[in-house]
Amino acid sequence: MRALVLDRPGSPDTLRLADLPVPEAGPGQVRVRVEACGLNPVDYQIAGGGHPQWEWPHVLGLDVAGTVDAVGEGVTQVRVGQRVAFHGDLRRPGGFAEFAVADADVLAPLPDDLDAVTAAALPCAGMAAYQAVFRRLHVTAGRTVLVTGGAGGVGGFAVQLAAGVGARVIATSSAGNAAYVRELGAHDVVDYQQQDVAARVRELTGGRGVDAVVDTVGPDSAAAHLGLLVHGGGLVAVSGRPERNTVAPFTTAPSLHEIALGSAYSHGDEQARADLAAMLGALFTMVTEKRLAPMTSRTVALEEVPSSLAELATRHARGKTVYAAG
């Protein structure tokens, strides 16, 4: 099969096209003919250091949508020819190839009216936002939520999900993306390049602060915004845990959470893996009911994936980029 491979740890420009053997589906697994695969920051991040369980050359790509091509021993819940999508195990070969193998219990069936490109845009970023907004922060109507990186994948989905339940959303973005982030549902947008985010959020909330923060930028950003939380508020760190010493003990009593979807494979059980499929199915329903935009900004060919990952690494990309086969 045709695949995009990494021969050793390195940057996106070290990826190359190659011919690899078609993988076989083992017990409890299925083989999927890849129709689309979403690009995510974790692709270039883990490529830089590699993973101790990888065999070389390695195929990146976690968010796959396509058609079941073969089923392994013991698989009864899906059939050959069924359209599915999944968020893959980063320890295994991924979806920047013509075929990929996945555990049957993580597969989410595609609704008839959902195309593969849209489905592949949702898993990693969409499920991270879903966990943050609903599972960790329990956002409801009337709450005020700060989302950093509102134009990105996780940030854009978080803006939509929080606004969709009636929360007031304050998001950060560059000035050039402000209108786009407002279209996603943000009530206020703070230009992180030109404004003091914390001061502006205080101003927008009349000094109160926010009930919740979804930080998609990194540990320093998360730590800087802990102080914006009202008493009993919560912060979700998507890109790294913050230093908690910025908030004195026994004051605002914040709750801190991190998102680690891939750990459902390495540190979770069957229930954790099945929940990946459940969350993805919930996102599919939201999209088909027009309650969530997939934010697919563009599709690329396999040979364009390296340059697209390099662009993603600048952290200025808008929405989701998806590799579309054929």
Side-chain angles (χ1 to χ4, degrees):
M1 68 175 182
R2 190 166 177 256
L4 191 66
V5 302
L6 188 70
D7 291 308
R8 63 186 62 83
S11 57
D13 64 321
T14 64
L15 292 163
R16 65 177 178 88
L17 292 172
D19 288 324
L20 297 180
V22 174
E24 297 295 331
Q29 297 180 328
V30 304
R31 183 173 66 208
V32 175
R33 180 180 291 275
V34 178
E35 297 173 17
C37 184
L39 278 64
N40 294 290
V42 68
D43 293 319
Y44 65 78
Q45 290 167 351
I46 195 167
H51 192 283
Q53 295 188 34
W54 284 358
E55 294 183 0
W56 303 97
H58 179 74
V59 180
L60 299 171
L62 292 173
D63 292 349
V64 176
T67 302
V68 175
D69 175 75
V71 299
E73 180 184 350
V75 175
T76 59
Q77 63 268 54
V78 292
R79 66 185 186 280
V80 172
Q82 187 170 359
R83 300 170 66 242
V84 297
F86 62 90
H87 176 68
D89 185 344
L90 59 78
R91 299 172 299 180
R92 300 176 182 171
F96 294 143
E98 291 183 290
F99 295 92
V101 169
D103 295 334
D105 58 359
V106 303
L107 300 176
L110 265 63
D112 292 338
D113 54 351
L114 191 68
D115 63 273
V117 168
T118 297
L122 295 170
C124 188
M127 289 193 289
Y130 187 94
Q131 277 196 349
V133 172
F134 297 136
R135 300 285 184 78
R136 303 294 198 270
L137 299 175
H138 306 287
V139 173
T140 56
R143 300 288 186 176
T144 301
V145 182
L146 171 65
V147 178
T148 63
V154 179
F157 285 124
V159 167
Q160 292 185 74
L161 294 174
V165 295
R168 177 189 178 186
V169 179
I170 303 172
T172 68
S173 80
S174 64
N177 283 326
Y180 169 74
V181 176
R182 286 192 177 92
E183 289 177 2
L184 294 177
H187 299 75
D188 302 283
V189 180
V190 179
D191 181 354
Y192 71 92
Q193 295 175 326
Q194 300 293 330
Q195 296 176 292
D196 181 317
V197 174
R200 180 58 178 153
V201 170
R202 290 285 185 193
E203 181 181 2
L204 289 169
T205 59
R208 177 179 182 269
V210 298
D211 298 285
V213 176
V214 179
D215 186 85
T216 71
V217 177
D220 291 342
S221 173
H225 299 127
L226 266 176
L228 289 172
L229 290 172
V230 300
H231 183 270
L235 181 145
V236 166
V238 177
S239 298
R241 297 180 185 178
E243 173 55 57
R244 293 177 293 178
N245 293 338
T246 54
V247 175
F250 304 107
T251 55
T252 55
S255 62
L256 303 178
H257 312 270
E258 66 178 356
I259 302 296
L261 292 174
S263 293
Y265 290 100
S266 58
H267 292 81
D269 55 14
E270 292 181 2
Q271 182 175 345
R273 291 189 296 275
D275 193 42
L276 294 177
M279 287 189 291
L280 191 50
L283 292 170
F284 288 167
T285 298
M286 292 180 186
V287 170
T288 57
E289 293 179 353
K290 310 299 183 184
R291 294 186 287 123
L292 184 72
M295 305 188 305
T296 308
S297 57
R298 63 173 177 158
T299 59
V300 297
L302 193 59
E303 57 267 25
E304 297 175 295
V305 168
S307 61
S308 298
L309 286 175
E311 181 180 346
L312 198 61
T314 68
R315 303 186 68 88
H316 295 298
R318 175 190 292 188
K320 291 290 299 181
T321 300
V322 178
Y323 152 59

